[in-house]
Amino acid sequence: MDRTTHRNGTADPGEAPPLALRTAVVRGDAGVVRDIVSSTGLFRPDEIGIAVELVEERLRVGPASGYHFIFAERAGRVLGYSCYGPVPLTLQSYDLYWIAVRKEAQGAGIGRMLLEKSEAAIGGHGGRRVYIETSSKAIYRDTRRFYERNGYRVEATLKEFYSPGDNKVIYVKPLSSE
């Protein structure tokens, strides 16, 4: 999948242009990812830097980096993205490292579509389980609910992992019957 178009419903003259998906990572994507992740208001500067580093690593090393991306664009503007890859030293487990949608584009189903497309791509790579980690802080409540609504369940909670009072919550979703 390099570029596809996704449209919900029928064409309407006042409808926004269709959403296009791409998996090719291009030079400007590091800045785009910085803008998207920053717009959410959820991440510290060092966390934003990690999101950008994954794009840069993919550009530097290519697919051997283990980082795969899906970008959702409308009219040439990237509205959201996901980044996933195989968990090192496992045979069929994948991490969903990042899924983020611009603050002003949230609530339109872009995140769900990116999640579904990521799961399908992971399955296409032979992945059977997807892991996602997030914070237990109240500001991430909607994020945790999003994962739960999309079939993820809490597999583990690591107390005080990120900082005092901030646990790491690890979600998992099997992609095939186990």
Side-chain angles (χ1 to χ4, degrees), residues 134-140 144 157 162 165-169:
T134 192
S135 168
S136 66
K137 283 185 169 181
I139 194 169
Y140 289 93
R144 293 189 304 274
T157 301
Y162 295 112
D166 189 5
N167 306 328
K168 177 196 269 191
V169 182

Side-chain angles (χ1 to χ4, degrees), residues 30-88:
V32 167
V33 163
R34 179 182 306 283
D35 291 346
I36 291 169
V37 174
S38 296
S39 80
T40 68
L42 295 173
F43 302 102
R44 298 183 317 254
D46 58 324
E47 294 170 316
I48 295 166
I50 294 295
V52 171
E53 281 180 29
L54 300 186
V55 176
E56 292 170 343
E57 181 70 2
R58 173 61 190 236
L59 286 168
R60 190 175 67 74
V61 179
S65 68
Y67 300 120
H68 304 277
F69 290 83
I70 301 174
F71 295 92
E73 302 178 326
R74 177 169 287 130
R77 182 169 188 242
V78 179
L79 299 178
Y81 84 103
S82 65
C83 175
Y84 62 90
V87 177

Side-chain angles (χ1 to χ4, degrees), residues 88-105:
L89 303 175
T90 70
L91 298 180
Q92 298 175 312
S93 296
Y94 277 70
D95 276 322
L96 181 66
Y97 297 112
W98 288 89
I99 184 166
V101 174
R102 288 186 188 279
K103 184 73 168 174
E104 69 273 13

